[in-house]
Coordinates of all heavy atoms in Angstrom, one line a residue:
Chain B
E86 N 35.6 113.4 58.5 CA 35.4 112.0 58.8 C 36.3 111.5 59.9 O 36.3 110.3 60.2 CB 35.6 111.2 57.5 CG 37.0 111.2 56.9 CD 37.1 110.3 55.7 OE1 36.7 110.8 54.6 OE2 37.5 109.2 55.8
D87 N 37.0 112.4 60.6 CA 37.9 112.0 61.7 C 37.1 111.6 62.9 O 36.2 112.4 63.4 CB 38.7 113.2 62.0 CG 40.2 112.9 62.2 OD1 40.6 112.0 61.4 OD2 40.9 113.5 63.0
D88 N 37.3 110.4 63.4 CA 36.6 109.9 64.6 C 37.4 110.3 65.8 O 38.4 109.6 66.1 CB 36.4 108.4 64.5 CG 35.5 107.9 65.6 OD1 34.9 108.8 66.3 OD2 35.4 106.7 65.8
V89 N 37.1 111.3 66.5 CA 37.9 111.8 67.6 C 37.2 111.4 69.0 O 36.0 111.3 69.0 CB 38.1 113.3 67.6 CG1 39.0 113.7 66.4 CG2 36.8 114.1 67.5
P90 N 38.0 111.3 70.0 CA 37.5 111.0 71.3 C 36.6 112.1 71.8 O 36.8 113.3 71.5 CB 38.7 110.9 72.2 CG 39.9 110.9 71.4 CD 39.5 111.4 70.0
I91 N 35.6 111.8 72.6 CA 34.7 112.9 73.1 C 35.5 113.8 74.1 O 36.5 113.3 74.6 CB 33.4 112.3 73.8 CG1 33.8 111.5 75.0 CG2 32.6 111.5 72.8 CD1 32.6 111.0 75.8
E92 N 35.1 115.0 74.2 CA 35.8 115.9 75.1 C 35.6 115.6 76.5 O 34.5 115.3 77.0 CB 35.4 117.4 74.8 CG 36.1 117.9 73.6 CD 35.3 119.0 72.9 OE1 34.3 118.7 72.2 OE2 35.7 120.2 73.1
R93 N 36.8 115.6 77.2 CA 36.7 115.3 78.7 C 35.9 116.3 79.4 O 35.1 116.0 80.3 CB 38.2 115.4 79.2 CG 38.4 115.5 80.6 CD 39.9 115.7 80.9 NE 40.4 116.9 80.3 CZ 41.7 117.2 80.2 NH1 42.6 116.5 80.7 NH2 42.1 118.4 79.6
T94 N 36.0 117.6 79.0 CA 35.4 118.7 79.8 C 34.5 119.5 78.8 O 34.9 120.0 77.8 CB 36.5 119.6 80.3 OG1 37.4 118.8 81.1 CG2 35.9 120.7 81.2
Y95 N 33.3 119.8 79.3 CA 32.4 120.8 78.6 C 32.3 121.9 79.7 O 31.4 121.8 80.5 CB 31.1 120.2 78.2 CG 31.2 119.1 77.2 CD1 31.3 117.8 77.5 CD2 31.1 119.4 75.8 CE1 31.4 116.8 76.6 CE2 31.1 118.4 74.9 CZ 31.3 117.1 75.2 OH 31.4 116.1 74.3
K96 N 33.1 122.9 79.6 CA 33.2 123.9 80.6 C 31.9 124.6 80.8 O 31.2 124.9 79.8 CB 34.3 124.9 80.3 CG 35.7 124.4 80.5 CD 36.7 125.5 80.6 CE 38.0 124.9 81.0 NZ 39.1 125.9 81.2
D97 N 31.5 124.8 82.1 CA 30.2 125.4 82.4 C 30.3 126.2 83.7 O 30.5 125.5 84.8 CB 29.1 124.3 82.5 CG 27.8 124.9 82.7 OD1 27.6 126.0 83.3 OD2 26.8 124.3 82.2
I98 N 30.3 127.5 83.6 CA 30.5 128.3 84.8 C 29.4 128.1 85.9 O 29.7 128.1 87.1 CB 30.7 129.8 84.4 CG1 32.0 129.9 83.6 CG2 30.9 130.6 85.7 CD1 32.0 131.2 82.9
F99 N 28.2 127.9 85.4 CA 27.1 127.8 86.4 C 27.3 126.5 87.2 O 27.1 126.4 88.4 CB 25.7 127.9 85.9 CG 24.7 127.9 86.9 CD1 24.5 129.0 87.8 CD2 24.0 126.7 87.2 CE1 23.6 128.9 88.8 CE2 23.1 126.7 88.3 CZ 22.9 127.8 89.1
R100 N 27.7 125.4 86.5 CA 28.0 124.2 87.2 C 29.1 124.3 88.2 O 29.1 123.7 89.3 CB 28.3 123.0 86.2 CG 27.0 122.6 85.4 CD 27.3 121.5 84.4 NE 26.4 121.5 83.3 CZ 25.5 120.5 83.1 NH1 25.5 119.4 83.9 NH2 24.6 120.6 82.1
L101 N 30.1 125.1 87.8 CA 31.2 125.4 88.8 C 30.7 126.1 90.0 O 31.0 125.8 91.1 CB 32.2 126.3 88.1 CG 33.5 126.6 88.8 CD1 34.3 125.4 89.1 CD2 34.4 127.6 88.0
R102 N 29.8 127.1 89.8 CA 29.1 127.7 91.0 C 28.4 126.7 91.8 O 28.4 126.7 93.1 CB 28.2 128.9 90.5 CG 28.9 130.1 90.2 CD 27.9 131.3 90.1 NE 28.7 132.6 90.0 CZ 29.2 133.0 88.9 NH1 29.1 132.3 87.8 NH2 29.8 134.1 88.8
T103 N 27.6 125.8 91.2 CA 26.8 124.8 91.8 C 27.7 123.9 92.7 O 27.4 123.6 93.8 CB 26.0 124.0 90.8 OG1 25.0 124.8 90.2 CG2 25.4 122.8 91.5
F104 N 28.9 123.6 92.1 CA 29.8 122.7 92.8 C 30.2 123.3 94.2 O 30.4 122.6 95.2 CB 31.1 122.6 92.0 CG 32.1 121.6 92.5 CD1 31.8 120.2 92.5 CD2 33.3 122.0 92.9 CE1 32.7 119.3 93.0 CE2 34.3 121.1 93.4 CZ 34.0 119.7 93.4
F105 N 30.3 124.7 94.2 CA 30.7 125.4 95.5 C 29.5 126.0 96.2 O 29.6 126.8 97.1 CB 31.6 126.5 95.1 CG 33.0 126.0 94.6 CD1 33.4 126.4 93.4 CD2 33.8 125.2 95.3 CE1 34.6 126.0 92.9 CE2 35.0 124.7 94.9 CZ 35.4 125.2 93.6
S106 N 28.3 125.5 95.9 CA 27.1 126.2 96.4 C 26.8 126.1 97.9 O 26.0 126.8 98.4 CB 25.8 125.7 95.6 OG 25.7 124.3 95.8
D107 N 27.6 125.2 98.5 CA 27.4 125.0 100.0 C 27.9 126.3 100.7 O 27.6 126.5 101.9 CB 28.2 123.8 100.5 CG 29.7 123.8 100.1 OD1 30.0 123.9 98.9 OD2 30.5 123.9 101.0

Side-chain angles (χ1 to χ4, degrees):
Chain B
E86 64 182 81
D87 226 33
D88 188 12
V89 292
I91 62 173
E92 278 154 284
R93 167 183 57 189
T94 307
Y95 296 89
K96 287 201 172 180
D97 185 332
I98 295 166
F99 186 73
R100 288 179 204 245
L101 186 61
R102 280 197 171 77
T103 291
F104 187 68
F105 294 123
S106 58
D107 58 299

